[in-house]
Amino acid sequence: MTQSSQQTIDKRPLTNYERAKAYRQRKISFQSLLKDIFLMTIGICSAAFALKSFLLPSNFIDGGATGIALLLGEITNLQFPVLLLLVNAPFVFFGYHTLGRTFFIKTTLAIIGLALATAFISFPHVTNDKLLVASFGGFFLGAGIGFAIRGGSVIDGTEVLALFLSKKVGGSVGDIILMINVVVFSVAAYILSIDTALYALITYLAAAKTVDFVVEGIEEYTGVTIVSSHSDEINAMITQQLGRGVTNYKGKGGFGTQGHSKEKDILYTVVTRLEISSLKTEVHKIDPYAFMVMNSIKDVKGGLIKKRRLKGN
């Protein structure tokens, strides 16, 4: 096809179907953005409540980037909101190169929002009981992290760093996060006290379990099976727009009381849990009636999942 003929096609009036499809895609994108902002806001408020009402007044720490910021706050004169921004800055940088521009923007705004919330919003001091502080501080902090993930961002950059390192040096995301937290808790035990480190471990475990609960048990990787009559468009979207690999299966869909069947292409792809929200949105744009099944996967090896990052929208 020549360039002039391509330009002629590009300038032709849109059909009613194309206009309706474009409108539906814009509507879905806008609704998805509002939902992400809502979830991120809930996550920021929940995490700020955990920090201001439980952890900070009792001089407790957590794992991950938030724990590092809390630990530095105990041994320096810097304010926690400033430390939160400084500690998460390199993690956000890794997120840009690992998960793309959209994730980078959302995560930057979420972390800045959390820093501002802890700096300017007053929360009541709930309790001085150390066990309650560790348990419920971890619960609300984990809920905040989980809601932020569901909104397509993070407010603790450790997982982003773990994803980045897993692609560079190998190893599972969970193992890398564990090693980072072992270092954090060891330093806390040495600088502060053994009791502080043990309570921090309770906080971390409570937060980790709450994150898993909020994001509905999604592990580091999620296998997604998609059945749709628009399989070619979805295949192109996943490979070209999201930069992920797809496996195509030939299958038959049964329907009706007489057992009729129809041949269909079944798509299977693997994404990280930070990418699942974007995948569902893009599939919904193409086919709102697509059938999707998601299964938790502990780890993967090879393929595009560890070679290409999620492209920005």
Side-chain angles (χ1 to χ4, degrees), residues 259-299:
H260 299 289
S261 62
K262 181 181 179 181
E263 289 191 358
K264 291 185 177 181
D265 285 334
I266 301 173
L267 308 179
Y268 182 81
T269 186
V270 176
V271 296
T272 67
R273 69 178 180 180
L274 301 180
E275 299 164 357
I276 193 66
S277 175
S278 177
L279 175 64
K280 290 195 295 186
T281 298
E282 295 302 322
V283 170
H284 188 62
K285 288 180 183 179
I286 298 172
D287 183 8
Y289 302 103
F291 179 69
M292 300 179 65
V293 178
M294 284 161 275
N295 303 101
S296 298
I297 300 173
K298 181 170 180 59
D299 201 3

Side-chain angles (χ1 to χ4, degrees), residues 122-181:
S122 297
F123 292 94
H125 177 53
V126 177
T127 180
N128 290 318
D129 185 283
K130 291 185 177 181
L131 184 58
L132 292 178
V133 169
S135 301
F136 284 93
F139 170 78
F140 285 107
L141 184 59
I145 295 172
F147 280 116
I149 288 176
R150 292 190 61 180
S153 66
V154 294
I155 53 178
D156 187 294
T158 311
E159 187 164 346
V160 178
L161 175 62
L163 284 170
F164 177 82
L165 292 177
S166 71
K167 294 174 174 60
K168 297 296 183 181
V169 301
S172 70
V173 172
D175 290 342
I176 295 174
I177 292 176
L178 179 60
M179 288 188 292
I180 293 173
N181 286 320

